[in-house]
């Protein structure tokens, strides 16, 4: 007996590995600051928790429809209409066990061996692995700080071949926080209009976490002509601080939603019934708390960007949304640590920061673009200030 070939095509999640390592160190009494997890430090809103408690009391503890209750699908339909001006029916909506599950279902349900998926880098760590698990070929298109970490239309056009099945767009982005403007989406849409065989996976998980008056739009909203071949993906994890509740969802073509449901019927079956009841409350409830939390996130962003840009040899762009920064440190490559270790890769830098500064970040290589690392600033101002001070000290000590 041995592991399958499909399993051999993927790696464990690097972000989850960092989180596990931080927990180990903390249990051992090490004063480590973990900036690796993509998780808001805010609690799930009370009105959402109360809805879950009420669902338990009401006995909503049985199986539901495989890909979501009708109540939750109706709430998602209403959300898409309200926030994105996208009109779906309930048979065009899929509810999954988190956004990663939505990605998995969509790719495994549609990819044949050799199909290509265009993925801009830096990318969320799971995109290429899930494509490879499904038998597809990730086509990585570099989108570095010189283009604002955003996919260039000409680069997209050059990456598309007759084998291209999907292009994945994530805005605002994990790991960079870069958000596409409506005009930028229209420019990408003009390219995609020339290639009618290519579908779009629009990952909008950080839709509600945007700053400086940035106007969020999703590509099917900016480019209505692409609506029929776009899977618009979102979830409750980030905006509503519901990472552990595991609810992701998508709107798309009825045949694709049905195909995803068929796969889900033989894998996880329905998402947790109680989490679904909580998600109904989250989507239908008062959204005013989002602005308050964004104000806190924006203050943290500004703190981290300013402190990292004080470091000689480090460049940290200011993101439009999400709760990550992705500083590039090309000028520090080739330096050595006080104990003589060469900083020749992302991993070396991340290892140095963990060992010497006791700050955990995630290496840029995990997201497909080096030399850089990702910081999640979804933690307190005090911890962020201390972490950035430690990083400044560690970088200043490089020779």
């Amino acid at each position: 007996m041995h592991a399958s070939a499909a399993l051999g095509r993927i790696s464990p999640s690097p972000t989850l590995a960092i989180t596990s390592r931080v927990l180990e160190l903390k249990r051992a009494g090490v004063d480590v600051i973990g900036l690796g997890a993509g998780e808001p430090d805010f609690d799930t809103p009370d009105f959402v928790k109360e809805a879950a408690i009420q669902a338990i009391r009401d006995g909503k503890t049985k199986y539901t429809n495989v890909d979501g209750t009708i109540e939750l699908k109706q709430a998602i339909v209403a959300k898409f209409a309200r926030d994105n001006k996208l009109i779906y029916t309930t048979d065009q909506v899929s509810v999954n066990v988190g956004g990663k599950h939505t990605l998995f279902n969509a790719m495994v349900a549609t990819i044949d061996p050799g199909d290509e998926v265009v993925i801009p880098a830096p990318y969320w760590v799971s995109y290429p692995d899930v494509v490879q698990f499904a038998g597809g070929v990730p086509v990585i298109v570099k989108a570095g700080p010189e283009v604002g970490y955003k996919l260039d239309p000409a680069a997209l056009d050059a990456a598309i071949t007759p084998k291209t099945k999907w292009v994945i767009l994530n805005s605002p982005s994990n790991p960079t926080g870069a958000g596409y403007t409506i005009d930028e989406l229209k420019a990408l849409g003009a390219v995609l209009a020339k290639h009618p065989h290519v579908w779009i996976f629009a990952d909008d998980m950080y839709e509600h976490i945007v700053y400086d008056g940035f106007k969020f739009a999703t590509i099917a909203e900016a480019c209505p002509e692409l609506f029929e071949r776009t899977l618009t993906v979102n979830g409750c994890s980030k905006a509503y601080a519901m990472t552990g509740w595991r609810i992701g969802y998508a709107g798309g073509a009825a045949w694709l939603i049905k195909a995803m449901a068929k796969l889900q019927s033989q894998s996880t079956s329905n998402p947790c019934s109680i989490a679904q009841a909580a998600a109904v409350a989250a989507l239908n409830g008062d959204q005013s708390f989002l602005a308050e939390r964004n104000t806190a996130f924006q203050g943290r962003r500004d703190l981290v960007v300013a402190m990292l840009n004080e470091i000689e040899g480090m460049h940290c762009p200011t993101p439009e949304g999400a709760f990550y920064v992705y500083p590039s440190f090309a000028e520090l490559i080739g330096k050595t640590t006080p104990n003589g270790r060469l900083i020749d890769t992302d991993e070396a830098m991340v290892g140095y920061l963990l060992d010497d500064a006791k700050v955990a970040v995630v290496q840029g290589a995990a997201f497909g673009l080096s030399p850089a690392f990702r910081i999640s600033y979804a933690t307190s101002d005090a911890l962020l200030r201390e972490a950035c001070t430690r990083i400044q000290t560690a970088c200043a000590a490089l020779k």
Side-chain angles (χ1 to χ4, degrees), residues 87-286:
I87 305 305
Y88 293 106
T89 52
T90 52
D91 67 340
Q92 293 177 295
V93 169
S94 174
V95 184
N96 318 108
V97 187
K100 193 177 291 189
H101 190 209
T102 310
L103 172 73
F104 186 91
N105 282 355
M107 296 299 131
V108 173
T110 59
I111 286 176
D112 290 314
D115 283 346
E116 295 173 355
V117 178
V118 175
I119 304 172
Y123 46 69
W124 180 45
V125 294
S126 295
Y127 295 147
D129 280 81
V130 171
V131 168
Q132 286 170 168
F133 181 87
V137 179
V139 175
I140 307 302
V141 181
K142 300 287 188 196
E146 70 285 350
V147 287
Y149 291 130
K150 290 185 261 196
L151 181 60
D152 176 73
L156 170 62
D157 203 21
I160 292 172
T161 76
K163 290 185 173 180
T164 306
K165 185 152 275 184
W166 290 93
V167 58
I168 297 179
L169 288 178
N170 177 206
S171 173
S173 154
N174 175 4
T176 67
Y180 290 88
T181 65
I182 292 173
D183 286 345
E184 286 167 340
L185 290 172
K186 284 181 174 173
L188 294 173
V191 172
L192 291 162
K194 300 190 304 183
H195 302 283
H197 66 292
V198 179
W199 280 63
I200 303 99
F201 185 99
D203 181 346
D204 300 343
M205 196 61 71
Y206 297 89
E207 167 184 6
H208 292 299
I209 305 173
V210 293
Y211 314 116
D212 304 323
F214 178 81
K215 174 80 175 74
F216 173 84
T218 191
I219 193 161
E221 175 187 10
C223 309
E225 68 278 9
L226 300 178
F227 177 81
E228 298 294 336
R229 53 188 171 108
T230 299
L231 187 68
T232 304
V233 180
N234 214 310
C236 295
S237 294
K238 312 300 179 178
Y240 302 99
M242 292 175 69
T243 48
W245 299 76
R246 309 308 304 132
I247 297 291
Y249 58 84
W255 73 264
L256 175 57
I257 297 300
K258 190 174 180 182
M260 290 166 62
K262 181 178 178 182
L263 177 62
Q264 191 159 317
S265 76
Q266 295 291 13
S267 56
T268 62
S269 194
N270 64 273
C272 169
S273 60
I274 306 305
Q276 289 190 70
V280 171
L283 294 175
N284 286 344
D286 182 3

Side-chain angles (χ1 to χ4, degrees), residues 312-396:
E312 197 173 335
M314 195 170 288
H315 170 58
C316 183
T318 303
E320 286 86 8
F323 39 70
Y324 309 105
V325 291
Y326 199 74
S328 167
F329 58 92
E331 293 166 44
L332 299 179
I333 292 289
K335 291 185 178 280
T336 52
T337 68
N339 62 8
R341 183 178 174 188
L342 180 66
I343 302 294
D344 55 349
T345 62
D346 292 342
E347 288 87 349
M349 174 62 96
V350 167
Y352 170 55
L353 293 178
L354 185 58
D355 295 341
D356 289 45
K358 301 294 183 280
V359 177
V361 299
V362 186
Q363 65 273 19
F367 308 101
L369 195 82
S370 303
F373 55 82
R374 187 192 78 174
I375 281 178
S376 168
Y377 54 82
T379 190
S380 72
D381 287 34
L383 277 176
L384 290 170
R385 190 171 281 106
E386 172 62 22
C388 289
T389 300
R390 293 182 187 185
I391 294 170
Q392 287 177 340
T393 303
C395 289

Side-chain angles (χ1 to χ4, degrees), residues 62-80:
K62 309 296 185 190
Y63 293 130
T64 73
N65 293 347
V66 162
D67 64 343
T69 63
I70 191 65
E71 293 84 2
L72 181 49
K73 288 192 173 196
Q74 286 169 341
I76 292 164
V77 165
K79 175 262 178 285
F80 278 134

